[in-house]
Amino acid sequence: MQLLLLHLDDALELQPDFVRACKFAGACQYADKATGKAVRLWSKQKALSELSRNIVRNTPAAGKDPQLCFMGSGDFHHVTALLLDGALERQSVAATLIHFDNHPDWVTFNGGMHCGSWVNSALANRNIQKVITIGVCSRDLRSPERKGANLHWLGEGKLELYPYEHPPSRVLAEYGSGASYRQEKGALHWKSISEIGEENFIDRMLSRIRTEAVYVTIDKDVLAAEDAVTNWDQGRMRLPYLLALISEIGNRHRIIGADVIGDYSVPTYGGNFQTRLLKRAEIFIDQPHIRAKAEAIRNINSAANHALLEVLAEYMA
């Protein structure tokens, strides 16, 4: 396994004990905070492509080894699309993307990629057989079409979404029934983890993975506030359950790559005045104000990262 710390903000640097543990485990590190400011929240494709090339140029070749990347704030979740493409290119296999998140990241975004749109890019990769999104509790599922959701993936069966908890979601079009929902009277009725039961959901999830290879992406905002401090509103999943899900996946499938995001960092943006203003306006509307003290943020996020590193390293060795 190749362990990579990708410093696009200062989130990981604020966890020196975790960085030391990663260095002891042989991690390579790449820092590009200038590009991080430019691509944070959303970016033109040109800047993302340049970032992808720089990561490849400045990190050892992974070869056939799986790569595990920790990369700071959830504002960078669209970078997962770059890491996923690299993993699939190296492995040349059909794979299932397992996506742990409090948000579905499925909106339509023209002219580039948004941290809330990158799942569309993943589904466009011919080697991705399916995306399974797990743990959503956010308002994104309320009237999703009105919020830009690209729901046709649900109808095609290439996307399955299992909220942790969520009421039925009103929709404008008919999508029929799916493995992760049913549609009645203009609403999607989600098959949530709380409804299925945590233990039963493990079997349900495993039955839906039809490929030997999987890629795992974890946005820590899927976790309850006791287990993570993030830039976004958070879900209700607890860390031990997330670790159990990863272990069950690793026991039965080959993890060809993984990444972890969702550590809090103060948002800073590059680009022109209009871009910075638009991004500031978006986070003012969408991101909660964080009241936790710096020491508490560091301790909570570092503890989760240590636990995630331990379990992922076990199954990606």
Side-chain angles (χ1 to χ4, degrees):
M1 181 193 77
Q2 181 191 82
L3 179 57
L4 171 64
L5 301 184
L6 184 55
H7 299 283
L8 300 175
D9 59 6
D10 61 355
L12 297 176
E13 292 175 1
L14 296 175
Q15 303 172 44
D17 60 324
F18 177 65
V19 172
R20 282 194 298 271
C22 290
K23 290 170 68 175
F24 183 77
C28 58
Q29 302 186 66
Y30 176 60
D32 191 347
K33 293 182 182 178
T35 300
K37 291 179 181 179
V39 305
R40 186 166 186 159
L41 205 62
W42 77 71
S43 174
K44 299 291 187 182
Q45 190 59 49
K46 180 179 179 181
L48 287 169
S49 297
E50 182 63 24
L51 174 61
S52 181
R53 289 190 291 269
N54 286 339
I55 292 171
V56 172
R57 281 197 295 262
N58 290 280
T59 58
K64 292 291 185 180
D65 292 334
Q67 183 183 77
L68 169 59
C69 179
F70 288 79
M71 57 177 173
S73 171
D75 289 356
F76 298 107
H77 210 166
H78 44 315
V79 177
T80 291
L82 312 181
L83 302 175
L84 174 65
D85 285 347
L88 292 171
E89 183 177 345
R90 291 190 298 272
Q91 299 290 335
S92 298
V93 292
T96 301
L97 173 62
I98 309 296
H99 171 212
F100 294 100
D101 206 319
N102 191 42
H103 307 89
D105 293 352
W106 58 8
V107 302
T108 300
F109 186 79
N110 297 320
M113 206 183 314
H114 192 287
C115 65
S117 79
W118 68 271
V119 164
N120 293 294
S121 176
L123 284 163
N125 190 304
R126 61 184 178 85
N127 286 323
I128 286 295
Q129 192 264 338
K130 184 193 298 182
V131 173
I132 301 177
T133 297
I134 300 171
V136 177
C137 294
S138 67
R139 293 174 297 176
D140 299 271
L141 298 188
R142 299 176 188 171
S143 302
E145 288 169 302
R146 291 192 176 98
K147 297 173 182 176
N150 191 359
L151 294 182
H152 84 270
W153 299 114
L154 286 174
E156 292 184 4
K158 289 201 67 174
L159 172 64
E160 296 183 13
L161 189 148
Y162 298 92
Y164 193 87
E165 290 180 358
H166 215 278
S169 309
R170 293 292 171 185
V171 295
L172 303 177
E174 179 64 40
Y175 289 92
S177 60
S180 59
Y181 68 94
R182 71 181 192 278
Q183 185 163 355
E184 292 179 5
K185 298 179 180 178
L188 297 180
H189 295 257
W190 301 101
K191 298 175 183 177
S192 67
I193 295 172
S194 61
E195 177 188 12
I196 297 169
E198 286 191 345
E199 289 300 317
N200 293 333
F201 177 72
I202 292 175
D203 293 331
R204 170 69 67 89
M205 173 191 68
L206 294 172
S207 74
R208 303 307 303 166
I209 303 173
R210 305 293 170 78
T211 58
E212 179 214 6
V214 299
Y215 185 101
V216 177
T217 180
I218 300 163
D219 188 334
K220 288 161 65 178
D221 68 19
V222 75
L223 295 170
E226 293 88 346
D227 294 319
V229 183
T230 80
N231 286 93
W232 293 87
D233 55 302
Q234 292 181 226
R236 298 181 179 89
M237 189 180 292
R238 298 305 306 266
L239 180 60
Y241 184 60
L242 173 60
L243 299 175
L245 290 172
I246 296 168
S247 295
E248 294 291 345
I249 293 168
N251 276 326
R252 292 164 176 78
H253 297 273
R254 181 165 60 96
I255 301 177
I256 62 169
D259 61 74
V260 179
I261 63 162
D263 292 295
Y264 177 80
S265 68
V266 176
T268 56
Y269 305 110
N272 59 34
F273 175 76
Q274 182 183 22
T275 296
R276 297 196 305 273
L277 183 63
L278 288 171
K279 290 185 176 184
R280 286 286 176 189
E282 180 171 338
I283 67 166
F284 179 78
I285 295 169
D286 288 343
Q287 294 187 356
H289 178 67
I290 302 299
R291 295 181 173 85
K293 295 182 178 180
E295 183 179 5
I297 294 173
R298 179 181 67 246
N299 292 341
I300 291 171
N301 284 339
S302 181
N305 281 341
H306 277 289
L308 289 165
L309 172 60
E310 182 177 358
V311 72
L312 285 164
E314 178 180 354
Y315 294 105
M316 296 175 67

